[in-house]
Amino acid sequence: MDLSMRWLKDYVDLKADVKQFCSDITISGSKVECYSEEGAYLSNVVVGRVEAIERHPDSDHMWITQINVGEDELVQIVTGAQNVKQGDYVPVAKHKSTVLHEGKEVKITKGKLRGVASNGMLCSLAELGLTVHDFPYAIEDGIFILGDDCDKTLGKDIREAIGFNDTTVEFEITSNRPDCLAVIGLARETAATYNIPLNVKKPEYKGVDGDVNDYLKVAIHNTDLCKRYIGAIVKNVKIEPSPRWMRERLRACGVRPINNFVDITNFVMLEYGRPMHAFDLRYVEGGEINVRNAAPGETITTLDGVERQLSPEMLVIADAKKPVAVAGVMGGEYSGIMDDTTTVVFESACFDGASVRTTAKKLGMRTDASARYEKGLDPHECYEALMRACQLVEELGAGEVIHNYIDCNYQSEEPKKVDFSAEWINRFLGTDIPEAQMIDYLNRLGIKVENGKAVSPWYRIDLEVKADIAEEVARLYDYNNIPDTIIRGVANAKLTDKQKFERSIKEAVLAMGVNEIATFSFISPKYFDKIRLPEDSKLRRTVTIMNPLGEDTSVMRTTIIPSVCEVLARNYSYRNPEAYVFEMGNEYLPVEGEELPAEPVRLGIGVYDTKDSFDFFDLKGIVEGVLKKAGVKEYEISRPDDSCIFDEKVSFHPGRAAVVTADGEQLGIFGELHPEVCENYGIGTRAYAAKINIPELMAKGTPEKTYSPLPRYPATTRDISVACDASLPVAELEKAIRQAVGSILEKVTLFDVYTGEQIEAGKKSVSYSISMRSHEGTLTDEQADKAMDKVVKALADLGAERR
C-alpha cells in the first residue's frame, strides 16, 4: 500500500517528519518498507515565463527564447518546440540542472546550438517524469505549458509549483489487516499511534429528485458470496478530467488518473479501501443487476479486451441477459465509462474473499480490487464508500445524483465481542499495565470495552480471541517497553530415537568427507527419463502438485537419485573438479486408497572426482561406514538381479553396482552411474551414487554399543589363494569363508586379486588373510588346520580351487 503523506494530513495533524513517522508507525504495528519523494531526481528546474521568442538564424525549426526566471537577467534558451509562445509559463531547466531523458537522469548544462548560446532547456512532461494523465491539457510531445492549476511564481521550484513534491510511504500490509489497505485505515493507525484526533467527516450528498427504482433493479441470488450490494444512479453525467488535487493523490498512491468518474471510484477505493465500480446504464440490459453464479459455458469479455470462460462457482454481476462484470475482479467490456456516457450506475458491494481469490486465480488475473476483497472486507463500509463517491460527484460537478439508493443487505449487525481481562493480558505479555491504560489504548483503536468484553469495530475483522486484544495493547504500549522475562518451567524436550539415528548417520557421512546438500522435494517428470526409469516403473506414479511454479517443479519425487544427480550436474557445469554430496530427505510414495502419500526418509549420496581415482570400492567404503555407524554387523553386498526391489537399478552401470542386504531385506543400492545417465545430466566423467533406506537401516541396526574386552589369547593367521571364475563375486567367497571358520573367525581380509598370464583365461586369483582367535584359550595348529580344511572345501563348492 502506497500512502500519500499529503493525503494522510487531510485526516490527522501530523507533526513528525517522515523518518520519525516511518519509525513510529512501524513500532505500532504498520510495517513501513520504504519512502520516496516525488520528483526527487529533478534539480534546479524552476518556473519561467517566455518574454521574447524569435527564429534561429541557422535553423527553420528552432527558436531563441528569452526566459524570465525571477532573476535580474533573462535566460536565453534555444528550443525546438513548436508550441511555445510569448507569455507562456514553462518549466525551465537552468544551467547545471537534472531532468529525465528516456527514464534516466541527465545533466543539463549551457552550450551552443548551431552557434547560438543556450543556457538551459525548456521541459516537456516526460522530462519531468510525468504524463498527460497528470496534466490532461498538456501536449505530450511538446513543452509543458503551465495551466491555471499551477503556481506561476517566477523562479519557484517546479515540483512545488505543480504539486509534484508529495512524499509516498510504502507499507507492507499483512493479510489480516485489510482495513489498512486504505488511507483512512492508515490515518486511524496514525491517530492511535500519536494519540491525536482523527478528522474523518461522514460523507453526505444532497441529491436530486427522482427514484432510483425507475432506473434500476437489484437482486442478490447468492447471499453467501455477496452479503451486501448498494447501487446509486448518477444522471446528466459530464466526463472530464479530475481536478489537480485528486490527480495528485492518485498519482502519489501509484494510480494513473483517467477521467473524473474512473478517478472517483479509484479515489474511494484508496480512501476507504473499498473497491467500487461504475457501469454505463446503457449497457445494463433491462435495467437489472443480478448478483449470481455464472451459468455453465457462459463467457465474458473483460475490460482488458480478453474473452474469458466462466464456470458455475464464479460469482458475476449480470444484467437481464449476460454478465457485465466478474464480481470483485474486473468489469466487462461494456461496463466502462465512455466519453458519451450520460447515466452511470455506482456499485458498492461486498463479495466473499475466498470466492474472489479462487475466481481471480482461475481466470489468471489479479487486480487492485481482487487483492482487497480476497483479504476479507466487512460489508458495513459499502455504505460509506457509496456516499463518498456520490459526494465527490456533486463536489466535482460531474453529474446529478438521484437522492435515494438501493441497498440489498444480508449482513449480521451483531458486533464481534472478545473477552477482556486486564489481569490475563498482563500475565500473557509479562507486563504490569493498569487496566485504565489498556482501555485507553483500545479506545484509541476504536475498540470499546463494555461489561468485560472488548467490542470490535466492524472494520477490524482480525480481532477474534483474547491474544488479539493483548496484541493491540502491546503495540501501543510499545514492544520496546515490555520487559525481558526468563522462560519459566522446565523444558523436557529431547530428541526421538529416529532423530538421534538420522543425526548420527549424517555425522558419519560428513566425517567421511561428504558435504550435505538440500534440494527441493518437488521435481520435473522429465527427471525419470534422465535416470532411465522404464515407463511401467512404480516410481513414475507420483503425487502431482495442484498449483506448481512450473513443469520443473510439478510432481513430488519418488526417488532421491535425480535430486543428487542434479547437484552433481550443476557442480560439473560450474567446472568444479570434484563433488562429494549427500542428502537425507523424504521420498513421496502414493498409497492406494489414502489421500496422503508415504514419506520415507532416504539417504542419497553422489560423487564425481576428476582429479583422484575415486571408484566403486571407495563408494562401497562409504556405504559400509554408514552400515557400521548404524550398527548393522551382518550384511551382504551382491549384484542387483531380478529380485532387486530398487527400480533405480537401471540408473547404474550394469557391472559396477551392488545391493546391500541384511537378514534378507534390501537396505540400499549403490554403484557407478550408467553412462547414459551421465550423458543425460551433462556429466563428462564417471559419477557414482547411492540410495539407502533409512527406516529399514534403523530397524536392522543396533544402537547400543557393546563393550569388547582386549583379547587374552593370541590370534592365528593363515593365508589362502584360490583360482576361480572371473565372474564369481569375491563377496561370495568371503561369505563362504566366514561360514566355514565359524565362531573362532576374527577377521577376513582380501589382499590380492590377480588376472594375467599365469592364470587361465576367464579365471582370477583371489587371496585372503584369515585371522582366527579363541576366547577360551590359545588356538592349536590342529584347530586352525581343521578350520582351513573347511574353508578349502567351502570354496571348492563354489568352484574355487586352492592354488
Side-chain angles (χ1 to χ4, degrees):
M1 171 70 187
D2 291 338
L3 173 67
S4 159
M5 292 300 291
R6 185 175 293 158
W7 199 347
L8 175 69
K9 290 179 180 179
D10 289 345
Y11 309 115
V12 290
D13 185 15
L14 182 64
K15 303 297 185 183
D17 61 30
V18 66
K19 278 190 176 182
Q20 188 63 46
F21 170 73
C22 292
S23 175
D24 294 340
I25 202 74
T26 297
I27 287 294
S28 70
S30 303
K31 182 185 175 185
V32 172
E33 287 289 300
C34 60
Y35 70 90
S36 60
E37 193 172 333
E38 285 184 323
Y41 45 81
L42 296 175
S43 66
N44 207 21
V45 182
V46 301
V47 176
R49 184 175 61 228
V50 180
E51 300 293 355
I53 183 169
E54 60 179 311
R55 284 197 176 277
H56 193 293
D58 293 328
S59 173
D60 57 359
H61 71 278
M62 288 187 177
W63 300 86
I64 303 172
T65 62
Q66 304 298 326
I67 309 297
N68 184 351
V69 293
E71 299 175 353
D72 294 338
E73 297 182 1
L74 299 179
V75 178
Q76 180 172 291
I77 294 177
V78 178
T79 180
Q82 304 301 306
N83 68 315
V84 179
K85 63 182 183 299
Q86 186 175 351
D88 284 343
Y89 287 83
V90 294
V92 180
K94 298 162 62 178
H95 175 53
K96 295 184 178 180
S97 60
T98 306
V99 297
L100 284 187
H101 178 67
E102 296 181 353
K104 297 181 180 179
E105 295 181 27
V106 294
K107 294 286 186 181
I108 302 299
T109 57
K110 61 184 178 181
K112 289 187 177 182
L113 291 176
R114 297 206 179 178
V116 176
S118 181
N119 299 312
M121 183 178 75
L122 306 186
C123 299
S124 66
L125 283 174
E127 284 148 352
L128 300 178
L130 300 170
T131 69
V132 290
H133 292 286
D134 299 297
F135 291 92
Y137 55 80
I139 298 175
E140 189 167 12
D141 57 354
I143 299 301
F144 175 32
I145 309 300
L146 274 59
D148 292 338
D149 57 353
C150 300
D151 187 338
K152 298 180 181 179
T153 303
L154 297 179
K156 192 163 193 171
D157 185 282
I158 194 64
R159 294 170 57 228
E160 185 179 352
I162 65 175
F164 191 44
N165 60 342
D166 200 352
T167 299
T168 299
V169 178
E170 181 183 345
F171 285 86
E172 178 188 330
I173 305 300
T174 53
S175 57
N176 66 322
R177 292 298 305 274
D179 59 298
C180 288
L181 286 171
V183 178
I184 289 179
L186 290 172
R188 290 192 196 103
E189 291 296 306
T190 303
T193 299
Y194 290 99
N195 196 18
I196 56 179
L198 176 66
N199 181 28
V200 178
K201 297 179 180 178
K202 182 179 179 180
E204 295 177 342
Y205 71 96
K206 296 178 180 178
V208 297
D209 292 339
D211 188 353
V212 69
N213 296 292
D214 294 338
Y215 296 84
L216 189 67
K217 294 180 177 62
V218 176
I220 301 177
H221 300 274
N222 188 335
T223 56
D224 291 331
L225 300 185
C226 179
K227 292 294 185 184
R228 193 173 191 181
Y229 190 104
I230 309 181
I233 294 292
V234 182
K235 62 182 183 179
N236 297 327
V237 167
K238 299 175 185 177
I239 305 299
E240 57 188 11
S242 303
R244 196 188 92 176
W245 63 266
M246 180 175 284
R247 300 196 306 268
E248 285 178 5
R249 283 155 175 72
L250 292 176
R251 181 183 64 229
C253 292
V255 176
R256 184 184 69 180
I258 297 176
N259 61 48
N260 51 0
F261 266 86
V262 175
D263 292 352
I264 285 171
T265 59
N266 286 332
F267 188 90
V268 172
M269 180 180 70
L270 292 171
E271 188 176 37
Y272 281 87
R274 175 65 55 174
M276 290 190 60
H277 199 78
F279 298 99
D280 189 328
L281 186 61
R282 291 177 299 178
Y283 301 109
V284 180
E285 294 195 46
E288 294 183 19
I289 291 292
N290 294 288
V291 186
R292 59 170 174 82
N293 289 82
E298 218 166 20
T299 62
I300 185 174
T301 301
T302 46
L303 277 171
D304 55 4
V306 178
E307 184 177 0
R308 303 182 188 274
Q309 183 71 44
L310 303 174
S311 53
E313 73 275 9
M314 297 179 181
L315 195 69
V316 298
I317 311 301
D319 58 22
K321 295 183 178 180
K322 64 184 185 304
V324 294
V326 182
V329 182
M330 184 180 284
E333 182 179 19
Y334 297 107
S335 69
I337 303 301
M338 319 294 181
D339 290 340
D340 61 346
T341 297
T342 58
T343 306
V344 166
V345 179
F346 263 145
E347 165 200 289
S348 181
C350 187
F351 306 112
D352 179 72
S355 172
V356 171
R357 178 172 175 78
T358 301
T359 299
K361 189 169 184 62
K362 284 190 175 182
L363 295 179
M365 55 197 300
R366 194 166 188 264
T367 61
D368 283 341
S370 68
R372 284 170 164 79
Y373 276 122
E374 67 188 29
K375 290 177 174 59
L377 298 177
D378 187 273
H380 286 84
E381 200 163 48
C382 293
Y383 173 81
E384 280 79 5
L386 184 73
M387 295 301 104
R388 178 59 167 156
C390 294
Q391 180 188 53
L392 288 170
V393 169
E394 287 191 340
E395 288 181 0
L396 303 185
E400 298 175 350
V401 185
I402 293 179
H403 69 90
N404 65 337
Y405 52 86
I406 296 174
D407 187 359
C408 297
N409 189 359
Y410 296 91
Q411 67 180 334
S412 170
E413 297 298 334
E414 181 66 26
K416 190 182 298 182
K417 298 180 180 180
V418 180
D419 290 339
F420 172 79
S421 168
E423 180 183 355
W424 184 91
I425 291 174
N426 276 323
R427 188 168 62 251
F428 182 72
L429 297 178
T431 56
D432 189 20
I433 306 171
E435 180 176 346
Q437 189 173 346
M438 290 185 187
I439 293 174
D440 178 60
Y441 290 150
L442 295 176
N443 288 341
R444 283 156 58 177
L445 292 166
I447 304 168
K448 305 299 181 185
V449 178
E450 300 172 354
N451 302 321
K453 299 285 185 179
V455 182
S456 172
W458 50 262
Y459 51 82
R460 290 299 303 274
I461 64 171
D462 59 309
L463 302 180
E464 297 181 346
V465 295
K466 290 191 292 184
D468 295 329
I469 303 301
E471 181 184 7
E472 299 303 298
V473 172
R475 65 192 186 93
L476 288 192
Y477 180 67
D478 192 334
Y479 292 114
N480 294 325
N481 292 331
I482 297 177
D484 297 335
T485 55
I486 300 174
I487 296 176
R488 294 181 290 273
V490 178
N492 293 317
K494 61 181 181 179
L495 296 177
T496 64
D497 291 339
K498 176 177 178 290
Q499 290 172 324
K500 291 177 182 177
F501 180 79
E502 291 178 0
R503 288 194 180 189
S504 69
I505 296 300
K506 285 185 180 181
E507 290 168 358
V509 183
L510 285 167
M512 288 184 277
V514 188
N515 302 298
E516 186 174 7
I517 59 173
T519 63
F520 288 128
S521 298
F522 32 85
I523 63 173
S524 167
K526 296 178 181 177
Y527 284 13
F528 300 134
D529 296 328
K530 283 188 171 185
I531 64 169
R532 305 178 68 247
L533 276 185
E535 291 297 328
D536 60 348
S537 171
K538 63 180 181 294
L539 297 180
R540 287 185 180 268
R541 192 165 67 90
T542 60
V543 176
T544 303
I545 300 173
M546 293 179 63
N547 55 340
L549 298 175
E551 185 183 1
D552 289 344
T553 55
S554 60
V555 299
M556 302 301 290
R557 69 184 176 199
T558 53
T559 170
I560 203 169
I561 294 293
S563 300
V564 172
C565 291
E566 283 291 324
V567 176
L568 293 181
R570 190 176 303 114
N571 277 272
Y572 188 82
S573 69
Y574 292 163
R575 300 184 180 181
N576 289 336
E578 62 182 34
Y580 291 72
V581 301
F582 81 92
E583 176 179 15
M584 188 174 289
N586 296 92
E587 293 177 346
Y588 300 83
L589 308 176
V591 179
E592 191 70 33
E594 297 290 336
E595 184 177 356
L596 296 176
E599 301 181 21
V601 180
R602 304 297 188 229
L603 174 66
I605 301 172
V607 178
Y608 77 80
D609 194 331
T610 60
K611 301 181 300 179
D612 300 331
S613 56
F614 187 95
D615 59 15
F616 171 86
F617 297 103
D618 293 307
L619 180 61
K620 178 174 177 282
I622 294 175
V623 172
E624 288 183 325
V626 171
L627 295 171
K628 182 179 179 182
K629 186 67 176 180
V632 180
K633 297 179 180 178
E634 300 294 332
Y635 58 87
E636 297 177 13
I637 295 180
S638 59
R639 289 179 177 174
D641 53 22
D642 292 340
S643 66
C644 178
I645 65 171
F646 296 98
D647 282 16
E648 299 96 333
K649 65 184 178 182
V650 297
S651 306
F652 294 92
H653 192 292
R656 300 169 187 161
V659 173
V660 181
T661 306
D663 294 335
E665 185 171 5
Q666 297 178 25
L667 303 182
I669 186 171
F670 67 94
E672 181 180 330
L673 288 173
H674 196 286
E676 288 184 9
V677 173
C678 290
E679 183 180 351
N680 291 340
Y681 280 99
I683 303 173
T685 187
R686 287 185 175 183
Y688 303 84
K691 169 183 167 179
I692 299 176
N693 296 347
I694 296 299
E696 291 83 348
L697 179 66
M698 182 179 176
K700 298 299 180 186
T702 305
E704 293 82 10
K705 303 299 179 183
T706 304
Y707 169 72
S708 297
L710 292 173
R712 299 175 60 185
Y713 304 103
T716 298
T717 302
R718 300 289 175 90
D719 293 344
I720 186 171
S721 295
V722 294
C724 63
D725 290 339
S727 61
L728 181 63
V730 294
E732 291 291 326
L733 299 174
E734 184 176 327
K735 180 180 178 182
I737 293 172
R738 289 182 179 278
Q739 291 175 346
V741 176
S743 62
I744 63 172
L745 177 68
E746 183 173 71
K747 183 169 61 173
V748 179
T749 305
L750 173 70
F751 65 85
D752 185 56
V753 178
Y754 172 75
T755 57
E757 296 179 356
Q758 300 178 23
I759 300 298
E760 183 182 344
K763 299 282 187 176
K764 63 183 176 183
S765 173
V766 183
S767 300
Y768 285 97
S769 176
I770 303 172
S771 178
M772 295 171 283
R773 190 194 305 269
S774 172
H775 296 287
E776 298 175 356
T778 303
L779 285 177
T780 64
D781 288 342
E782 181 182 356
Q783 289 173 307
D785 290 342
K786 187 177 179 180
M788 290 303 296
D789 290 340
K790 290 181 180 180
V791 169
V792 171
K793 184 179 183 304
L795 294 178
D797 291 342
L798 294 175
E801 299 296 333
R802 189 171 187 177
R803 294 182 65 198

